[in-house]
Amino acid sequence: MFHVIRPEGAAHLNRPHVVVHRMKLYEDEVTTVDGVPVTTVERTWLDMAEILTVDELVVMGDSCVRIPRVEFEGRDTPLCTLGDLQRVIDRHKGKRGLRKAKLAIQLIRIGSDSPQESLLRLASTSGAGHQPFGTV
């Protein structure tokens, strides 16, 4: 099953195995990967807020903003920044999942290197309101 976004006002699309979502899509929220247009990392994160839990959004967000290790990933910049995530939240007033995204962005940390590390951090701070140990 493929999920695609058709900008508001675009022609109707009816294809098997394709779920079409009609919503506001800004030009700078689209990039290309191997010649295929796709939404940017930060826009995809916000779109996932409709179906993921807050904890799952934090895990995804941690992965988006983490600083990769060049020797393992061949890149040294994050997929996006916390500022990028905040900007996409700010520009989509009334979007489904926005409340969860606003909660999740407060818990996203740059230093988390794995989903398990993010989940452990969330579990250890659940209800405490603070982070008991830092991530490096």
Side-chain angles (χ1 to χ4, degrees):
M1 191 67 64
F2 294 94
H3 290 258
V4 297
I5 297 174
R6 298 285 289 185
E8 294 171 335
H12 180 70
L13 177 70
N14 189 12
R15 300 273 191 273
H17 310 293
V18 176
V19 177
V20 178
H21 303 271
R22 289 186 177 275
M23 58 186 70
K24 182 71 175 170
L25 184 62
Y26 294 93
E27 215 172 280
D28 64 348
E29 294 174 345
V30 178
T31 189
T32 57
V33 175
D34 296 328
V36 178
V38 296
T39 54
T40 60
V41 171
E42 57 271 21
R43 174 56 194 256
T44 301
W45 176 81
L46 183 63
D47 289 338
M48 294 303 293
E50 292 185 29
I51 59 173
L52 297 180
T53 66
V54 171
D55 283 358
E56 290 168 331
L57 276 176
V58 172
V59 169
M60 185 178 178
D62 281 357
S63 181
C64 292
V65 303
R66 66 176 282 281
I67 298 170
R69 297 180 183 163
V70 179
E71 62 273 17
F72 298 119
E73 299 173 63
R75 63 185 176 90
D76 61 358
T77 57
L79 298 173
C80 69
T81 66
L82 278 168
D84 295 332
L85 296 177
Q86 187 62 58
R87 276 188 290 284
V88 78
I89 286 173
D90 292 344
R91 83 185 324 183
H92 288 280
K93 307 280 189 238
K95 184 171 178 7
R96 278 188 231 163
L98 200 57
R99 187 172 298 151
K100 284 191 282 185
K102 287 178 178 181
L103 290 171
I105 198 167
Q106 295 174 22
L107 300 171
I108 293 172
R109 299 292 177 266
I110 292 172
S112 186
D113 278 331
S114 72
Q116 294 80 6
E117 183 179 344
S118 297
L119 290 171
L120 177 61
R121 185 185 77 242
L122 292 171
S124 66
T125 61
S126 180
H130 67 279
Q131 203 166 317
F133 54 89
T135 56
V136 180

